[in-house]
């Protein structure tokens, strides 16, 4: 069964939306500044954020546009995005529950389309072609490469211990098995690569690449690290079934033992951006 080709299913992030908002470190404001400078974002045009999750990137970029649309295949993510938008008073963003493969879905034309930690879950050649046709002639595809659930590994001195990620992975494997889970299937080799060739075949030119270094250490509570674990497709709450309460208790015990005064510290990872144009 683990040798079968993985196929997307709607349980991929089931139960993860509220954890995603808490457990994922926010994208740095310097990301918007860097992309805004490169694309001369001036408050005009429309933004489409594909695989928007709970709106983390959408809400960060939305003020740079007249209007924005966030789409995601997980209804829980869209509900969480709407909640966060209302909380922030963001009135220029529309949220749509749909798969990227269903685009263009009568959404119109966009100046910028963003993807962040999402493209690898999609039928990438199909989505690349459809998004290309949704871009304005001077539009851009902005792909944000990031890992926001955990920080940089290292042995430099921090104000609190680092989260014990290796032990966390071992605990997950003790409940779910050694092969990475994803929805109802498995990803023994991880998510696919080869993005550049897919983009070129879809008609995009070689990208501009930007690196944004948040250059900061963040404190994280036990609850935040627990939510980071449950924000992952490989350890989404539904995967544990009836064992979820036991796993949650074991995870909390592991983290409380490793933390100091209930806190961890991590150095944030760099964020890389590929900007593709027509």
């Amino acid at each position: 069964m683990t040798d079968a080709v993985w196929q997307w299913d709607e349980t991929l992030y089931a139960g993860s939306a509220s954890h995603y908002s808490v457990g994922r470190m926010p994208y740095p404001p310097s990301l918007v500044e860097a992309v805004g400078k490169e694309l001369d974002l001036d408050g005009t045009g429309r933004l489409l954020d594909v695989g928007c999750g709970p709106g983390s990137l959408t809400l960060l970029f939305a003020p740079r546009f007249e209007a924005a649309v966030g789409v995601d295949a997980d209804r829980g993510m869209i509900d969480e995005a709407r909640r966060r938008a209302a909380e922030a008073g963001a009135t220029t963003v529309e949220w749509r529950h749909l798969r990227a493969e269903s685009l263009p879905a009568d959404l119109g034309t966009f100046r910028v389309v963003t993807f962040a930690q999402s493209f690898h879950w999609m039928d990438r050649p199909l989505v690349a072609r459809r998004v290309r046709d949704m871009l304005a002639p001077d539009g851009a595809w902005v792909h944000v490469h990031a890992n926001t659930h955990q920080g940089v590994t290292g042995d430099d001195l921090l104000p609190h211990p680092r989260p014990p990620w290796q032990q966390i992975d071992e605990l997950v494997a003790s409940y779910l098995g050694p092969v990475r889970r994803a929805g109802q299937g498995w990803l023994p080799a991880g998510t696919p690569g080869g993005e550049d060739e897919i983009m070129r075949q879809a008609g995009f030119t070689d990208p501009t690449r930007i690196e944004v270094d948040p250059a900061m250490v963040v404190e994280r509570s036990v609850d935040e690290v627990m939510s980071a674990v449950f924000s992952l497709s490989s350890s989404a709450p539904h995967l544990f079934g009836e064992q979820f309460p036991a796993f949650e208790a074991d995870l909390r015990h592991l983290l409380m033992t490793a933390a100091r005064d209930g806190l961890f510290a991590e150095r944030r990872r760099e964020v890389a951006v590929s900007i593709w144009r027509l």
Side-chain angles (χ1 to χ4, degrees):
M1 193 172 191
T2 56
D3 293 331
V5 176
W6 180 82
Q7 293 183 330
W8 179 89
D9 70 78
E10 63 183 8
T11 69
L12 183 61
Y13 281 100
S16 291
S18 61
H19 293 290
Y20 207 106
S21 294
V22 174
R24 298 291 181 112
M25 290 178 275
Y27 296 106
S30 55
L31 171 62
V32 182
E33 296 300 323
V35 174
K37 181 178 180 180
E38 178 66 30
L39 296 180
D40 192 25
L41 300 181
D42 56 2
T44 63
R46 301 171 70 222
L47 166 72
L48 174 64
D49 188 19
V50 183
C52 66
S56 306
L57 192 75
T58 329
L59 294 172
L60 189 64
F61 272 88
R64 295 297 188 108
F65 297 88
E66 294 175 13
V69 180
V71 304
D72 200 276
D74 186 271
R75 185 175 295 278
M77 292 290 187
I78 291 297
D79 290 342
E80 181 68 8
R82 287 196 177 106
R83 184 194 68 77
R84 294 180 68 186
E87 190 176 75
T91 59
T92 62
V93 186
E94 175 188 354
W95 307 100
R96 294 285 298 274
H97 174 224
L98 57 86
R99 292 190 66 190
E101 291 81 356
S102 299
L103 294 172
D106 297 321
L107 292 178
T109 302
F110 295 87
R111 182 178 179 184
V112 173
V113 179
T114 53
F115 289 77
Q117 306 182 78
S118 62
F119 191 43
H120 54 273
W121 295 121
M122 303 169 187
D123 181 336
R124 296 179 299 164
L126 174 64
V127 172
R129 292 192 302 269
R130 292 189 175 179
V131 168
R132 175 199 61 198
D133 294 338
M134 298 174 72
L135 282 169
D138 60 346
W141 169 310
V142 175
H143 193 150
V144 178
H145 309 273
N147 182 335
T148 55
H149 83 278
Q150 77 178 90
V152 178
T153 58
D155 55 8
D156 53 317
L157 186 63
L158 299 180
H160 298 279
R162 286 180 168 83
W165 287 110
Q166 181 175 342
Q167 292 98 312
I168 292 170
D169 291 343
E170 291 169 355
L171 180 62
V172 171
S174 74
Y175 275 84
L176 301 181
V179 181
R180 177 178 172 179
R181 292 291 305 273
Q184 298 302 308
W186 288 262
L187 281 174
T191 53
E195 172 196 322
D196 285 10
E197 184 59 28
I198 290 170
M199 296 297 289
R200 293 188 184 101
Q201 289 180 357
F204 290 88
T205 61
D206 285 350
T208 301
R209 308 214 189 253
I210 300 172
E211 287 193 358
V212 178
D213 186 0
M216 62 183 298
V217 172
V218 294
E219 289 186 354
R220 308 187 73 188
S221 69
V222 166
D223 284 341
E224 287 171 336
V225 175
M226 288 187 69
S227 281
V229 174
F230 294 132
S231 76
L232 298 171
S233 61
S234 56
S235 49
H238 74 94
L239 294 175
F240 297 92
E242 294 180 353
Q243 290 186 302
F244 180 75
F247 174 78
E248 186 178 35
D250 285 346
L251 177 60
R252 182 173 294 278
H253 176 73
L254 169 63
L255 296 178
M256 290 297 295
T257 302
R260 186 167 69 241
D261 300 325
L263 292 174
F264 297 102
E266 291 196 275
R267 191 176 301 281
R268 294 185 55 156
R269 294 175 180 266
E270 289 186 352
V271 178
V273 181
S274 300
I275 299 178
W276 297 84
R277 296 175 174 86
L278 300 175

